[in-house]
Amino acid sequence: MKPAACEVTRETKVWVIEPQVMRVLALLGLHHGQVVSRDDLVKACWDGRAVSEDAINRVLSRLRQLGRDSGDFHIRTVRKVGYRLEILEPETAPEETITAAPPTPAGHRSSINKLWLLGAGAAAALVLAIMLWWSTTQRPLVQKGFSLAIADIRADGPAALPPERLRSQLTHTLSQMRGLKLVAKTKGSEGADYILSGYVSGTQASPNIELTLSETRSHTQIWSARFDQALMSEPTAPERAVAATARYMAVVLGQRVVGPRSTGDPPPVEVATQINEGKRALSQAHDARHNRNWPRFDQLMAEVDSHATRALAIEPQSAGALMLKYEVDALPLYPRPGENRSEFAERQQRALSFVTRAVTSDPDNPEVLAAAGRDMMERQRWDDSERLLIRSVAIDPNSRDGNLWYTYYLGLMNRCGEGLKFARLSAALAPDDVWRQLAVPRLMHCAGRKTDAAKIYARLIDHDRGNVFVLREYYLMLLAQEDARPLRQLTRHVRHDLWHNKPPEAVAGFLRRMDYAADALEGRPSEFHKILDGERAFLDNPKLASDGFGKSVGDRLFVLGVEYGHTGQPDKAIICLDRAVEQSSLYLPWALPYGASPMPQSLTLRAEYQAIWRRSPQIVELIRYRKGERHWGR
């Protein structure tokens, strides 16, 4: 058992299980042979929360299947008492064939005793490891939360927004955050770790808000921000002020999630159903986009929007439904076909409005926190991003978005082995979502395990043969090896074995690109460079309407830089990479400095290339992280 990684291994087999399943397995394993009552199980593994019989039965069913697969244990139900884990002994031969064993030589006996002691020691170490993991996961190392006092918010003029209204909105949102305790402001600010103060001015229709957060002990101001209605009408200045405060407090709190979640009525069944259906359609929409099936993508995104709209009609402040609306308007992060710049800006503004409302409604929603962490990563605020993503998975270890985006953050920081654990968990939580499955081979490649990554890429392509996105990821990994043979083998497998020489145009077009890339690696680069030059000219078009190749122009430039770099065009590679980093794209972590598949030395030794990674303090800090000179929290 590897509790921290949520893995169970037997010889060469590995099973990845959900954190909740691992908790139950660890508890029953610690008390194997003994009956653990249902109440004790719920108290230890579900923190005493009300839990349905179906939820318990689902976990036990998963464990029983694991026991059958591994052949090592069995979970027995003791009626009206509880559950018992029984270790299965190796099967012996039939009784009538058993004969007396010859006497064991003394030296052999000594060896057996040593082996027995080693086995006993390993078993004791395993139990100790489980106990240590159990104690640290059930009682977090960081026990203390923080306290916050909201000071009097002043009004600058009688026409301003009533400060009581803003204070009430702040109190409502911040009081939902685990690890944060709101206290009354006292004289001299005693009794609170932080003080939030501010003032409002302007008119109620167009308010101006300024908020300041100070640390009590050091008497220093650690955050301040201004919000007004001059540049946008939605979201409103008060909504943005409350959301920004909650987001920053989430950064301050990080993994401090002590105490129970704020009480409240569970969402109506109809709302939960619509949200789940919306998530299902969103997952299918990702697959349609990767298969370049744009009509199917539009249809599915319309379904997502419809489910979210129905949920919001019942519960207008449902964070889950608001996040679905956010996904509908946020994706893709480039102009849609036929969408002009004004329409693109309006769509992005709607997305901002929905995510802002979601933050104010439920600041501890794991999907909200994951979106905030992803946003901070794109802004290159590395420490803030990690704190938000850690908080997301601390609140809900089964958060699909939290685990996925923390995976990619860790890959960017070159902590690929650590990130692989979260990648596997994210994939296990969404076994039918190819987009999420991709995180595993990406992190394997990032960690230098290219052979293992190739096997998973091949399996994903065989499962979803039209997924050009997966095909591109595999192709880029092979291209970085600068060996034409694996590229030839892949194109032949996809073209002949999977499509019987009749692939659809999207696949056929990309296979041609791969053929020309293999030619370039064999010393015939002209046709491949024509393709790259044409795409680069297309990206220089200021009226760009993306064809869906990547999520942003910067990402596409980064890919072009990698393709140019590995096929003998260092000058063009530097131009593309420089523009990509300028647009905040760091698309392929394994190709970054100190990555598992770095760019060739004909490129990396040039002063122009090295200057790219000194472009900004944030990029310099990232390279220090990747080099191992900096660690989170230091």
Side-chain angles (χ1 to χ4, degrees):
M1 290 173 59
K2 298 179 181 179
C6 289
E7 290 181 359
V8 176
T9 63
R10 195 186 202 297
E11 296 174 347
T12 60
K13 293 184 179 180
V14 179
W15 293 270
V16 179
I17 59 178
E18 300 172 26
Q20 192 65 39
V21 178
M22 179 58 80
R23 291 190 189 97
V24 175
L25 177 58
L27 178 66
L28 295 177
L30 283 174
H31 302 280
H32 67 86
Q34 305 173 24
V35 177
V36 177
S37 72
R38 181 188 181 281
D39 290 343
D40 287 343
L41 191 70
V42 171
K43 183 177 180 181
C45 300
W46 278 273
D47 300 324
R49 300 191 304 271
V51 57
S52 68
E53 290 288 345
D54 287 343
I56 297 175
N57 290 338
R58 184 188 67 81
V59 171
L60 292 171
S61 175
R62 178 72 179 91
L63 282 179
R64 289 188 172 106
Q65 183 61 52
L66 178 62
R68 288 192 292 270
D69 291 344
S70 67
D72 286 328
F73 66 89
H74 172 70
I75 305 293
R76 187 176 301 279
T77 300
V78 182
R79 290 190 59 192
K80 299 184 179 180
V81 181
Y83 310 95
R84 180 173 63 229
L85 184 145
E86 300 174 349
I87 304 294
L88 299 180
E89 299 295 337
E91 292 184 4
T92 60
E95 185 172 340
E96 60 272 16
T97 64
I98 295 177
T99 58
T104 303
H108 194 132
R109 189 182 307 119
S110 175
S111 298
I112 292 176
N113 289 338
K114 289 179 180 179
L115 289 174
W116 184 89
L117 288 172
L118 286 174
L126 175 60
V127 171
L128 178 60
I130 295 174
M131 292 177 68
L132 285 173
W133 172 79
W134 184 265
S135 64
T136 54
T137 54
Q138 301 305 308
R139 294 186 294 276
L141 295 175
V142 182
Q143 287 285 345
K144 184 181 181 299
F146 290 127
S147 58
L148 171 70
I150 302 178
D152 293 334
I153 297 177
R154 305 184 306 277
D156 186 11
L161 175 77
E164 296 80 9
R165 184 186 306 171
L166 178 59
R167 181 188 177 91
S168 175
Q169 293 171 338
L170 286 165
T171 301
H172 171 75
T173 295
L174 298 177
S175 64
Q176 300 179 65
M177 302 185 71
R178 293 181 63 175
L180 183 64
K181 179 182 179 182
L182 298 188
V183 299
K185 183 179 182 299
T186 59
K187 187 176 181 180
S189 303
E190 295 91 352
D193 296 305
Y194 297 95
I195 299 290
L196 181 66
S197 59
Y199 73 87
V200 294
S201 60
T203 65
Q204 293 193 39
S206 183
N208 300 309
I209 300 170
E210 181 169 340
L211 295 174
T212 300
L213 184 68
S214 302
E215 190 177 39
T216 306
R217 179 178 299 178
S218 62
H219 302 286
T220 57
Q221 175 182 310
I222 62 171
W223 175 79
S224 67
R226 294 185 179 184
F227 310 89
D228 60 48
Q229 216 67 47
L231 297 178
M232 63 181 73
S233 58
E234 292 289 341
T236 65
E239 287 176 331
R240 285 184 284 120
V242 173
T245 305
R247 180 174 290 187
Y248 188 78
M249 287 309 304
V251 170
V252 171
L253 289 165
Q255 61 186 354
R256 290 172 170 83
V257 295
V258 295
R261 183 178 175 84
S262 60
T263 58
D265 294 332
V269 175
E270 300 91 333
V271 172
T273 300
Q274 293 297 333
I275 292 174
N276 289 334
E277 288 297 311
K279 289 180 178 179
R280 179 193 57 78
L282 182 63
S283 176
Q284 294 176 352
H286 284 306
D287 288 342
R289 178 163 60 96
H290 294 163
N291 281 278
R292 309 290 180 88
N293 188 342
W294 300 115
R296 174 71 172 158
F297 172 78
D298 292 339
Q299 173 194 343
L300 287 164
M301 291 303 276
E303 286 185 26
V304 176
D305 187 63
S306 176
H307 287 301
T309 300
R310 292 172 193 163
L312 290 172
I314 302 170
E315 190 173 297
Q317 297 304 317
S318 166
L322 289 167
M323 289 305 295
L324 287 177
K325 283 282 191 179
Y326 161 75
E327 295 282 1
V328 168
D329 281 325
L331 297 176
L333 298 176
Y334 46 74
R336 294 170 178 170
E339 188 176 56
N340 59 40
R341 291 183 178 273
S342 176
E343 293 168 337
F344 172 70
E346 289 175 1
R347 176 165 63 81
Q348 294 298 299
Q349 192 58 47
R350 287 196 305 271
L352 174 62
S353 181
F354 284 123
V355 76
T356 299
R357 286 175 57 192
V359 173
T360 59
S361 173
D362 186 359
D364 270 356
N365 183 293
E367 293 175 1
V368 170
L369 289 165
R374 180 176 59 182
D375 178 59
M376 290 296 180
M377 193 167 20
E378 291 172 353
R379 296 187 196 184
Q380 300 181 354
R381 291 170 58 176
W382 313 122
D383 286 352
D384 290 353
S385 176
E386 176 148 26
R387 287 181 178 273
L388 289 165
L389 293 169
I390 283 179
R391 184 169 181 82
S392 175
V393 297
I395 288 174
D396 182 7
N398 289 335
S399 168
R400 298 196 303 176
D401 286 352
N403 281 289
L404 181 69
W405 292 109
Y406 194 33
T407 291
Y408 289 139
Y409 173 88
L410 292 171
L412 191 59
M413 296 296 118
N414 218 16
R415 293 155 57 187
C416 306
E418 184 181 353
L420 186 56
K421 296 186 296 185
F422 293 92
R424 285 172 168 159
L425 180 55
S426 176
L429 292 168
D432 297 326
D433 192 328
V434 175
W435 178 60
R436 296 179 189 276
Q437 299 296 315
L438 266 176
V440 175
R442 282 178 176 177
L443 267 290
M444 282 184 171
H445 181 191
C446 178
R449 296 172 54 181
K450 300 172 189 177
T451 302
D452 293 335
K455 291 177 181 177
I456 297 180
Y457 277 132
R459 188 161 64 241
L460 290 174
I461 290 173
D462 288 348
H463 172 74
D464 190 3
R465 60 180 183 166
N467 196 317
V468 180
F469 196 86
V470 177
L471 186 60
R472 185 186 66 161
E473 293 284 319
Y474 194 6
Y475 148 76
L476 288 170
M477 186 182 78
L478 296 178
L479 178 69
Q481 298 177 19
E482 299 186 6
D483 185 349
R485 288 173 299 174
L487 278 178
R488 299 286 191 203
Q489 292 169 358
L490 177 58
T491 54
R492 184 164 53 250
H493 174 65
V494 174
R495 183 180 286 121
H496 298 293
D497 300 338
L498 298 183
W499 287 103
H500 308 292
N501 296 322
K502 295 181 180 180
E505 180 52 37
V507 176
F510 200 81
L511 291 175
R512 286 193 295 271
R513 186 190 193 99
M514 292 170 61
D515 285 333
Y516 290 137
D519 289 344
L521 293 177
E522 292 174 339
R524 303 182 302 280
S526 59
E527 292 300 324
F528 185 57
H529 289 158
K530 283 181 184 178
I531 293 176
L532 303 189
D533 291 343
E535 188 169 319
R536 182 178 158 206
F538 176 72
L539 293 175
D540 288 335
N541 182 355
K543 297 181 180 180
L544 172 68
S546 173
D547 62 356
F549 182 94
K551 69 176 183 179
S552 72
V553 172
D555 290 349
R556 297 181 67 174
L557 286 166
F558 199 106
V559 170
L560 282 177
V562 169
E563 291 177 305
Y564 275 128
H566 286 291
T567 55
Q569 290 277 8
D571 291 334
K572 293 179 180 179
I574 288 173
I575 292 171
C576 290
L577 290 172
D578 186 51
R579 286 183 57 196
V581 175
E582 182 183 22
Q583 297 188 38
S584 300
S585 174
L586 301 162
Y587 184 55
L588 301 173
W590 47 261
L592 296 174
Y594 306 101
S597 296
M599 303 296 287
Q601 287 191 350
S602 60
L603 184 64
T604 59
L605 295 180
R606 296 180 58 164
E608 305 98 305
Y609 174 82
Q610 295 172 12
I612 295 173
W613 313 110
R614 297 192 294 269
R615 169 180 291 279
S616 69
Q618 293 82 9
I619 295 297
V620 171
E621 184 180 33
L622 172 67
I623 299 305
R624 290 181 63 195
Y625 274 121
R626 292 185 59 80
K627 192 177 179 181
E629 294 180 350
R630 281 211 61 188
H631 301 282
W632 180 75
R634 297 183 185 178

